[in-house]
Amino acid sequence: MASPMRSLVADPDRYLQSFRLFLERSTEHQSMQDFVERQLPDVIASIGNGKSTINVLSVGGGAGEMDLQILSKIRARYPGVTINNDVIEPSADQISKYQERVAQASNLENIKFTWHKETANEYESRMNAEKKTKKWDFIHMIQMLYYVKDVPATLRYFHSLLESQAKLLIILVSGKSGWETLWKKYGSSFPLQDLCTFVSSANLPRMLDAAGLKYQLYELPSHLDITSCFTEGDKDGELLLDFLTETLDFAKTAPPELKRQLMEELRKPGCSEIRDGKVFFNNNLGVIVIEP
Protein backbone atom coordinates (compact mmCIF):
# COMPACT_ATOMS: atom_id res chain seq x y z
CA MET A 1 0.00 0.00 0.00
CA ALA A 2 1.31 3.44 -0.90
CA SER A 3 2.28 5.57 2.07
CA PRO A 4 -0.14 8.44 2.84
CA MET A 5 2.87 10.71 3.44
CA ARG A 6 2.71 14.05 1.59
CA SER A 7 5.22 16.82 1.09
CA LEU A 8 4.99 19.70 3.55
CA VAL A 9 5.23 22.11 0.59
CA ALA A 10 1.72 20.90 -0.43
CA ASP A 11 0.26 22.87 2.51
CA PRO A 12 1.73 26.41 2.40
CA ASP A 13 0.05 27.47 5.65
CA ARG A 14 1.43 24.58 7.65
CA TYR A 15 4.81 25.03 5.98
CA LEU A 16 4.95 28.67 7.12
CA GLN A 17 3.76 27.72 10.61
CA SER A 18 6.49 25.10 10.94
CA PHE A 19 9.10 27.46 9.47
CA ARG A 20 8.23 30.23 11.94
CA LEU A 21 8.42 27.79 14.84
CA PHE A 22 11.79 26.59 13.53
CA LEU A 23 13.07 30.20 13.54
CA GLU A 24 11.74 30.67 17.09
CA ARG A 25 13.37 27.51 18.44
CA SER A 26 16.66 27.74 16.57
CA THR A 27 19.63 30.09 16.57
CA GLU A 28 19.42 30.28 12.75
CA HIS A 29 18.92 34.03 12.50
CA GLN A 30 21.35 34.80 15.32
CA SER A 31 24.06 32.82 13.47
CA MET A 32 23.36 34.70 10.25
CA GLN A 33 23.26 38.03 12.09
CA ASP A 34 26.64 37.23 13.58
CA PHE A 35 28.01 36.59 10.08
CA VAL A 36 26.46 39.83 8.79
CA GLU A 37 28.05 41.77 11.67
CA ARG A 38 31.50 40.22 11.54
CA GLN A 39 32.23 38.96 8.05
CA LEU A 40 29.87 40.67 5.64
CA PRO A 41 31.68 44.06 5.76
CA ASP A 42 34.77 42.37 4.22
CA VAL A 43 32.65 40.54 1.64
CA ILE A 44 31.04 43.79 0.39
CA ALA A 45 34.19 45.91 0.72
CA SER A 46 34.55 46.50 -3.03
CA ILE A 47 31.09 45.82 -4.55
CA GLY A 48 30.22 49.53 -4.81
CA ASN A 49 33.59 51.11 -5.56
CA GLY A 50 33.10 54.25 -7.62
CA LYS A 51 29.37 53.67 -8.07
CA SER A 52 26.49 56.05 -7.39
CA THR A 53 23.98 53.15 -7.48
CA ILE A 54 24.35 49.64 -6.07
CA ASN A 55 22.03 46.93 -7.41
CA VAL A 56 21.19 44.12 -4.98
CA LEU A 57 19.22 40.99 -5.87
CA SER A 58 17.68 38.88 -3.10
CA VAL A 59 16.72 35.41 -4.36
CA GLY A 60 14.13 33.90 -2.01
CA GLY A 61 14.01 36.96 0.27
CA GLY A 62 11.27 35.57 2.52
CA ALA A 63 9.90 38.10 5.01
CA GLY A 64 13.02 40.27 4.72
CA GLU A 65 14.56 39.91 8.20
CA MET A 66 18.03 39.08 6.89
CA ASP A 67 17.66 41.24 3.77
CA LEU A 68 17.24 44.42 5.82
CA GLN A 69 20.30 43.62 7.93
CA ILE A 70 22.38 43.02 4.81
CA LEU A 71 21.12 46.28 3.29
CA SER A 72 22.01 48.23 6.43
CA LYS A 73 25.61 46.96 6.17
CA ILE A 74 25.79 47.95 2.49
CA ARG A 75 24.40 51.38 3.38
CA ALA A 76 26.93 51.81 6.16
CA ARG A 77 29.79 50.89 3.80
CA TYR A 78 28.57 53.18 0.97
CA PRO A 79 26.79 56.13 2.61
CA GLY A 80 24.71 58.30 0.30
CA VAL A 81 24.68 55.76 -2.54
CA THR A 82 21.28 54.73 -3.98
CA ILE A 83 20.55 51.03 -3.48
CA ASN A 84 18.11 49.22 -5.78
CA ASN A 85 16.97 46.10 -3.97
CA ASP A 86 15.02 43.58 -6.07
CA VAL A 87 13.43 40.64 -4.26
CA ILE A 88 12.43 37.32 -5.84
CA GLU A 89 9.97 35.52 -3.51
CA PRO A 90 7.16 33.13 -4.54
CA SER A 91 5.08 33.47 -1.34
CA ALA A 92 2.56 36.35 -1.29
CA ASP A 93 2.34 36.00 2.50
CA GLN A 94 6.11 36.44 2.90
CA ILE A 95 6.16 39.42 0.51
CA SER A 96 3.42 41.21 2.46
CA LYS A 97 5.34 40.62 5.72
CA TYR A 98 8.47 41.98 4.04
CA GLN A 99 6.55 45.06 2.86
CA GLU A 100 5.17 45.64 6.39
CA ARG A 101 8.70 45.40 7.75
CA VAL A 102 9.93 48.00 5.25
CA ALA A 103 6.97 50.30 6.05
CA GLN A 104 7.82 50.18 9.76
CA ALA A 105 11.59 50.54 9.41
CA SER A 106 13.38 53.83 9.73
CA ASN A 107 16.67 54.63 7.96
CA LEU A 108 15.78 53.04 4.61
CA GLU A 109 16.08 56.27 2.64
CA ASN A 110 18.15 55.78 -0.53
CA ILE A 111 16.88 52.17 -0.81
CA LYS A 112 14.34 51.34 -3.51
CA PHE A 113 12.48 48.04 -3.18
CA THR A 114 10.95 45.99 -6.01
CA TRP A 115 9.25 42.67 -5.28
CA HIS A 116 8.76 39.91 -7.85
CA LYS A 117 6.27 37.22 -6.81
CA GLU A 118 7.99 34.34 -8.56
CA THR A 119 10.49 31.53 -8.09
CA ALA A 120 14.14 31.75 -9.13
CA ASN A 121 13.33 29.59 -12.17
CA GLU A 122 10.39 31.82 -13.14
CA TYR A 123 12.59 34.91 -12.84
CA GLU A 124 15.20 33.33 -15.12
CA SER A 125 12.56 32.29 -17.68
CA ARG A 126 10.98 35.76 -17.66
CA MET A 127 14.34 37.51 -18.10
CA ASN A 128 15.23 35.17 -20.97
CA ALA A 129 11.83 35.72 -22.60
CA GLU A 130 12.24 39.49 -22.28
CA LYS A 131 15.84 39.13 -23.51
CA LYS A 132 17.05 41.05 -20.45
CA THR A 133 20.30 40.51 -18.61
CA LYS A 134 20.39 42.98 -15.79
CA LYS A 135 23.70 42.88 -13.90
CA TRP A 136 23.97 43.02 -10.10
CA ASP A 137 26.57 44.20 -7.60
CA PHE A 138 25.47 41.79 -4.88
CA ILE A 139 23.24 38.71 -5.11
CA HIS A 140 22.27 36.61 -2.11
CA MET A 141 20.44 33.29 -1.83
CA ILE A 142 19.66 32.44 1.78
CA GLN A 143 18.24 28.96 2.47
CA MET A 144 16.61 28.69 -0.97
CA LEU A 145 18.66 26.28 -3.10
CA TYR A 146 16.52 23.37 -1.86
CA TYR A 147 13.66 24.69 -3.97
CA VAL A 148 15.25 24.78 -7.41
CA LYS A 149 15.12 21.94 -9.92
CA ASP A 150 18.73 22.17 -11.12
CA VAL A 151 21.18 23.58 -8.56
CA PRO A 152 24.30 23.80 -10.83
CA ALA A 153 22.28 25.51 -13.61
CA THR A 154 20.77 27.99 -11.10
CA LEU A 155 24.23 28.82 -9.74
CA ARG A 156 25.62 29.32 -13.25
CA TYR A 157 22.72 31.57 -14.25
CA PHE A 158 22.88 33.91 -11.24
CA HIS A 159 26.68 33.95 -11.33
CA SER A 160 26.43 35.16 -14.95
CA LEU A 161 24.52 38.24 -13.68
CA LEU A 162 27.40 39.49 -11.50
CA GLU A 163 29.17 42.78 -12.20
CA SER A 164 32.99 42.71 -12.24
CA GLN A 165 33.40 43.63 -8.51
CA ALA A 166 30.25 41.81 -7.37
CA LYS A 167 29.72 38.87 -5.01
CA LEU A 168 27.20 36.02 -4.85
CA LEU A 169 26.45 34.97 -1.26
CA ILE A 170 24.82 31.60 -0.54
CA ILE A 171 23.73 30.32 2.87
CA LEU A 172 22.41 26.78 3.35
CA VAL A 173 22.70 23.94 5.83
CA SER A 174 26.23 22.78 6.50
CA GLY A 175 27.63 19.44 5.37
CA LYS A 176 28.59 19.01 9.04
CA SER A 177 25.02 19.51 10.32
CA GLY A 178 22.38 17.12 11.60
CA TRP A 179 20.46 17.82 8.38
CA GLU A 180 23.23 16.13 6.38
CA THR A 181 23.14 13.03 8.62
CA LEU A 182 19.34 12.83 8.68
CA TRP A 183 18.74 13.41 4.99
CA LYS A 184 21.54 11.16 3.76
CA LYS A 185 20.00 8.33 5.72
CA TYR A 186 16.26 8.99 5.36
CA GLY A 187 15.81 11.50 2.52
CA SER A 188 14.72 8.79 0.09
CA SER A 189 11.87 7.86 2.48
CA PHE A 190 10.41 11.39 2.54
CA PRO A 191 7.70 12.38 0.04
CA LEU A 192 9.67 15.01 -1.81
CA GLN A 193 8.05 17.07 -4.50
CA ASP A 194 10.07 17.84 -7.64
CA LEU A 195 10.83 21.18 -6.11
CA CYS A 196 12.54 20.06 -2.98
CA THR A 197 16.00 18.54 -3.13
CA PHE A 198 18.46 18.11 -0.33
CA VAL A 199 21.61 20.09 -0.86
CA SER A 200 24.15 21.18 1.74
CA SER A 201 27.38 23.19 1.76
CA ALA A 202 29.19 19.86 1.23
CA ASN A 203 27.70 19.56 -2.29
CA LEU A 204 28.65 23.02 -3.54
CA PRO A 205 32.46 22.91 -3.90
CA ARG A 206 32.16 20.07 -6.43
CA MET A 207 29.64 22.06 -8.51
CA LEU A 208 31.62 25.29 -8.25
CA ASP A 209 34.94 23.58 -9.08
CA ALA A 210 33.30 21.96 -12.13
CA ALA A 211 32.17 25.42 -13.28
CA GLY A 212 35.66 26.84 -12.60
CA LEU A 213 34.38 29.39 -10.07
CA LYS A 214 36.37 30.98 -7.23
CA TYR A 215 34.75 30.96 -3.78
CA GLN A 216 35.27 31.11 -0.02
CA LEU A 217 33.58 28.88 2.57
CA TYR A 218 32.52 29.75 6.12
CA GLU A 219 30.95 27.55 8.79
CA LEU A 220 28.34 29.05 11.16
CA PRO A 221 27.43 27.20 14.38
CA SER A 222 23.68 26.97 15.05
CA HIS A 223 21.29 24.66 16.91
CA LEU A 224 17.57 23.89 17.12
CA ASP A 225 15.78 22.82 20.31
CA ILE A 226 13.82 19.69 19.29
CA THR A 227 13.01 18.48 22.83
CA SER A 228 9.25 18.79 22.19
CA CYS A 229 9.52 16.33 19.25
CA PHE A 230 9.88 13.51 21.79
CA THR A 231 6.61 14.25 23.61
CA GLU A 232 3.86 12.24 21.91
CA GLY A 233 1.05 14.51 20.69
CA ASP A 234 2.94 17.78 21.35
CA LYS A 235 1.69 20.18 18.64
CA ASP A 236 4.95 22.14 18.40
CA GLY A 237 6.95 18.91 18.35
CA GLU A 238 4.83 17.64 15.46
CA LEU A 239 5.35 20.89 13.54
CA LEU A 240 9.12 20.68 14.01
CA LEU A 241 9.12 17.05 12.83
CA ASP A 242 7.23 18.19 9.73
CA PHE A 243 9.91 20.80 9.11
CA LEU A 244 12.83 18.41 9.68
CA THR A 245 11.39 15.83 7.27
CA GLU A 246 9.60 18.23 4.86
CA THR A 247 6.60 15.94 5.42
CA LEU A 248 3.03 17.01 6.17
CA ASP A 249 1.89 15.48 9.51
CA PHE A 250 4.93 13.20 9.67
CA ALA A 251 4.06 12.01 13.19
CA LYS A 252 0.64 10.79 12.01
CA THR A 253 1.35 9.56 8.48
CA ALA A 254 4.85 8.04 8.56
CA PRO A 255 5.09 4.22 8.72
CA PRO A 256 5.66 3.31 12.40
CA GLU A 257 9.07 1.72 11.73
CA LEU A 258 10.34 4.79 9.84
CA LYS A 259 9.11 7.04 12.63
CA ARG A 260 10.76 4.88 15.29
CA GLN A 261 14.11 4.82 13.47
CA LEU A 262 14.03 8.54 12.74
CA MET A 263 13.22 9.47 16.36
CA GLU A 264 16.13 7.29 17.47
CA GLU A 265 18.45 8.92 14.90
CA LEU A 266 17.49 12.41 16.07
CA ARG A 267 18.93 11.67 19.52
CA LYS A 268 22.27 10.40 18.20
CA PRO A 269 25.48 12.51 18.19
CA GLY A 270 25.44 12.68 14.36
CA CYS A 271 22.25 14.74 14.58
CA SER A 272 21.98 16.25 18.04
CA GLU A 273 23.54 16.98 21.39
CA ILE A 274 21.76 16.34 24.68
CA ARG A 275 22.35 19.07 27.29
CA ASP A 276 20.51 19.58 30.61
CA GLY A 277 17.83 17.10 29.54
CA LYS A 278 17.16 18.99 26.29
CA VAL A 279 17.84 17.78 22.76
CA PHE A 280 19.59 20.29 20.48
CA PHE A 281 19.66 19.42 16.79
CA ASN A 282 22.84 20.50 14.96
CA ASN A 283 21.59 23.25 12.65
CA ASN A 284 25.04 24.48 11.52
CA LEU A 285 25.07 26.60 8.38
CA GLY A 286 27.49 26.84 5.51
CA VAL A 287 28.19 30.16 3.79
CA ILE A 288 29.70 30.28 0.32
CA VAL A 289 30.84 33.59 -1.19
CA ILE A 290 31.39 33.31 -4.95
CA GLU A 291 33.58 35.71 -6.94
CA PRO A 292 32.51 37.05 -10.36
Side-chain angles (χ1 to χ4, degrees), residues 14-215:
R14 186 155 173 100
Y15 175 82
L16 274 175
Q17 240 187 312
S18 67
F19 175 57
R20 291 205 184 108
L21 183 64
F22 160 75
L23 287 180
E24 241 174 70
R25 297 281 170 92
S26 74
T27 58
E28 169 112 349
H29 274 173
Q30 292 92 306
S31 299
M32 291 185 197
Q33 281 159 1
D34 201 41
F35 175 82
V36 167
E37 284 301 318
R38 293 172 188 213
Q39 274 120 343
L40 190 70
D42 287 343
V43 172
I44 60 170
S46 60
I47 63 168
N49 283 354
K51 299 195 166 190
S52 56
T53 302
I54 295 176
N55 294 316
V56 177
L57 181 63
S58 163
V59 187
E65 297 102 319
M66 295 314 305
D67 284 26
L68 294 188
Q69 295 189 33
I70 288 170
L71 289 169
S72 80
K73 285 288 169 230
I74 296 174
R75 247 184 104 233
R77 176 68 184 79
Y78 302 99
V81 165
T82 299
I83 300 171
N84 291 323
N85 185 64
D86 278 38
V87 181
I88 300 169
E89 170 53 56
S91 161
D93 179 78
Q94 293 285 77
I95 287 177
S96 75
K97 290 205 160 36
Y98 196 145
Q99 289 168 333
E100 279 168 32
R101 205 168 242 119
V102 168
Q104 288 160 9
S106 54
N107 75 12
L108 294 179
E109 60 278 1
N110 301 352
I111 304 179
K112 296 176 182 156
F113 291 87
T114 310
W115 287 272
H116 306 277
K117 187 189 169 302
E118 58 194 351
T119 64
N121 294 6
E122 286 163 354
Y123 175 84
E124 183 179 345
S125 302
R126 179 169 64 81
M127 285 298 165
N128 289 338
E130 294 172 8
K131 299 202 172 12
K132 283 185 184 165
T133 48
K134 180 166 181 181
K135 293 279 188 174
W136 303 90
D137 300 301
F138 190 63
I139 301 176
H140 57 87
M141 307 168 137
I142 297 177
Q143 295 290 42
M144 61 67 64
L145 277 179
Y146 324 110
Y147 305 103
V148 301
K149 285 197 168 78
D150 184 336
V151 175
T154 300
L155 291 175
R156 280 195 303 274
Y157 173 70
F158 285 101
H159 179 265
S160 76
L161 306 183
L162 292 177
E163 289 281 15
S164 61
Q165 297 286 310
K167 294 283 195 296
L168 168 57
L169 171 82
I170 294 168
I171 301 182
L172 72 175
V173 296
S174 163
K176 300 185 176 105
S177 68
W179 294 96
E180 180 86 359
T181 308
L182 192 68
W183 278 72
K184 267 196 170 158
K185 202 158 184 181
Y186 295 103
S188 59
S189 308
F190 302 148
L192 291 187
Q193 287 192 324
D194 300 349
L195 263 185
C196 192
T197 47
F198 180 72
V199 56
S200 76
S201 65
N203 305 113
L204 260 64
R206 187 174 36 83
M207 297 175 191
L208 299 172
D209 291 342
L213 301 180
K214 288 204 328 225
Y215 57 90

Side-chain angles (χ1 to χ4, degrees), residues 218-264:
Y218 304 83
E219 183 85 7
L220 310 185
S222 173
H223 61 256
L224 164 67
D225 185 346
I226 58 168
T227 314
S228 58
C229 293
F230 300 94
T231 304
E232 197 64 43
D234 184 293
K235 290 281 173 275
D236 284 352
E238 289 180 357
L239 269 176
L240 288 175
L241 275 177
D242 285 10
F243 193 76
L244 287 166
T245 60
E246 287 283 335
T247 302
L248 189 58
D249 288 321
F250 177 85
K252 296 187 175 80
T253 62
E257 185 54 18
L258 172 65
K259 185 181 169 187
R260 187 191 65 73
Q261 287 179 16
L262 184 116
M263 298 309 288
E264 225 170 76

Side-chain angles (χ1 to χ4, degrees), residues 261-292:
Q261 287 179 16
L262 184 116
M263 298 309 288
E264 225 170 76
E265 192 69 40
L266 281 174
R267 284 183 174 276
K268 289 181 184 170
C271 277
S272 303
E273 192 188 344
I274 298 174
R275 288 199 310 269
D276 304 327
K278 291 188 164 186
V279 186
F280 293 100
F281 183 77
N282 178 331
N283 184 54
N284 283 11
L285 303 169
V287 178
I288 298 98
V289 177
I290 306 174
E291 309 284 329

